[in-house]
Structure formats: structure tokens, C-alpha cells
Amino acid sequence: MAQPPLSRAIQQLERRLGVTLLERNRRGVSLTGAGEILLREGRAALDATTAAVRRTRRAGGPGGSHDRLVLAVKAGAFHELLNKLLDAYAAEPGAAGIEVLPSGMCEQEGMLRDGRADVALMHTPFNSLAGFDSVELMTEAQVAVLPARHPLAARKTLSLAEISDVPGLPLARWPRHDTYPPGPGPEVHDQTQLAQLIALGRTMTVFPESARTWLWEEHAAVPLSDAPPVTTHIVWPAHSRSRALAGLVRTASRL
């Protein structure tokens, strides 16, 4: 849309709402407090609409969504827990099919909100559970994952301060809401890339204890003495009325 009709559309919206959405001055244009609220709520409304379309299409597909659930999980995580959950649920009478959808760091939240997934396994404190229903499944400690040949790999434990600024071994950076936090560490897109960079001695990371299941021989995992525990939750949209989802949650809560 060209600038003049866009400006007119915004002005019409401001008159309709009775508030100022944009602060205009010689330095540029910025959102007012009301504009920030409308942006946040508008994004949520668009996500809800997109989710409704996706879930409706799944329901109208072969077999319907009552026979299939999409489960989002962080790629490479929860191997033992995920296998137990899938096996236990598959043994339940009338169990729906489960499509496991691997995702990147902190992507499960967005997948639930926009309908790409029906349910997810998520970590706190890394993932936000705001607006979702959830059940705690397990709590575990955290470890520093670093190159096996690095001197710190021989330590029995490490502290967060000791790994925060290691010369030549910066912490990897994962995207959150499509934005990478500042820092000297490499921008990591997926777990395979991360594993390769750690093996090459270019970076390290902090993961839950269960990450030991995917480590290579070139990796080492050292417990962190002062890192907060990580809790794994099974998470789903609060408005869901899916019987298949309710059955999966009941199975997960019994593990």
C-alpha cells in the first residue's frame, strides 16, 4: 500500500477507536501506548484466525483431526520422555495418530498460537506458557555442553559465571521471536549446526540434563551448580475441546 492511502486508513482507524495510535513528529513516527496495545492484540487476533483455519482444514481432511494430533517438540530434546509418551498413548483404546513436529528453540509457542500444532512439549523458564493450559511432566538440572577437549570439560561442576565469558568459546545464540540476542557467540539455527560447532571448538551451550542423549564423542556435559532447574510441560491452547488431546494429556500426566 502506498503511503497516502496507508496514512488515511490509519487516521480512519484512529477516529473510529477514538484514540491516537501513532505519535508523529520531525524525528519520525512511533507507536503510542494505545498503538502498542492494538498491535499486540491485533497480532493475537490474527494468530487465532490463522489457527482456526489450519485446525479446520485438518478436521476436514482425510480421517479428520479427531484421528490425528500434531505434537511440537524441540528438535533433539525429550527422547526418553517422548518415546514413553508416544508408546503409552498408542496403547490407549481409540488413540489418535500423533504427528511429531520438530521445532527450533522456543518455536513451540508460536506453533500452538497459529495452529501449526495442537499440543507441545515445552520448557520453563525458557518458554512462555501464558495463555495456555499445561501439566508439569518432569524437572531436571542443567548442564554446560562444550567441546570434550576443552580444559573445562574435565571439571566436575561449573557455575554460570565460569561459562559466561570463556575466551574463544562464546555461548551460542538461539533466536527468540525471530530475533537473536546480542553477543559474540554464533547464531544457531538448529541442533545439528550447534552440535557441529561445539565439536569444532567454536561454541558451547546450556541445555537440560536430558540433552546427554544426543551428545557426540566430541562433546562433554558438565553439571551447572547454580543454574535454575528446567521443568518440562505438556502444553495446549486453553480453549481446546479435543477429546484426543484430553486423552494424550491424561496419558502424559500418568508417566
Side-chain angles (χ1 to χ4, degrees), residues 22-249:
L22 298 176
E23 187 72 38
R24 305 167 180 86
N25 53 47
R26 286 178 295 180
R27 292 177 296 177
V29 179
S30 60
L31 287 169
T32 63
E36 290 177 353
I37 291 174
L38 180 62
L39 177 62
R40 182 172 62 251
E41 297 292 338
R43 284 173 172 167
L46 288 174
D47 283 345
T49 301
T50 301
V53 170
R54 284 176 168 150
R55 292 188 174 114
T56 299
R57 285 174 174 166
R58 280 206 294 275
S65 64
H66 296 294
D67 299 316
R68 182 169 67 95
L69 291 171
V70 178
L71 170 63
V73 299
K74 187 175 71 176
F78 320 109
H79 289 304
E80 184 177 355
L81 175 63
L82 182 57
N83 283 331
K84 287 181 178 179
L85 173 58
L86 294 178
D87 289 346
Y89 181 64
E92 294 288 332
I98 303 293
E99 177 186 341
V100 177
L101 183 61
S103 65
M105 178 72 76
C106 297
E107 290 183 350
Q108 303 97 312
E109 177 186 347
M111 290 177 170
L112 284 181
R113 295 194 191 283
D114 67 17
R116 284 174 289 169
D118 302 301
V119 59
L121 295 182
M122 293 164 61
H123 286 314
T124 56
F126 305 118
N127 300 124
S128 172
L129 305 184
F132 299 123
D133 285 339
S134 64
V135 171
E136 292 186 12
L137 300 183
M138 61 178 288
T139 299
E140 57 187 317
Q142 296 194 70
V143 295
V145 182
L146 62 159
R149 65 178 183 273
H150 194 277
L152 290 178
R155 295 278 299 275
K156 297 295 184 182
T157 62
L158 290 166
S159 68
L160 290 172
E162 288 175 311
I163 65 169
S164 63
D165 189 20
V166 179
L169 199 66
L171 285 163
R173 292 181 292 143
W174 291 91
R176 289 179 179 268
H177 305 294
D178 300 320
T179 301
Y180 285 92
E187 296 181 353
V188 176
H189 309 289
D190 56 54
Q191 190 164 303
T192 300
Q193 178 197 22
L194 174 64
Q196 185 70 53
L197 289 172
I198 295 174
L200 292 172
R202 302 299 179 91
T203 190
M204 70 167 126
T205 192
V206 174
F207 264 32
E209 180 80 23
S210 57
R212 292 180 183 273
T213 59
W214 60 262
L215 298 187
W216 302 356
E217 291 183 359
E218 296 90 346
H219 300 155
V222 180
L224 289 168
S225 60
D226 57 350
V230 174
T231 301
T232 300
H233 305 252
I234 186 167
V235 185
W236 65 96
H239 62 269
S240 177
R241 298 295 182 269
S242 167
R243 293 183 179 180
L245 175 56
L248 180 65
V249 171

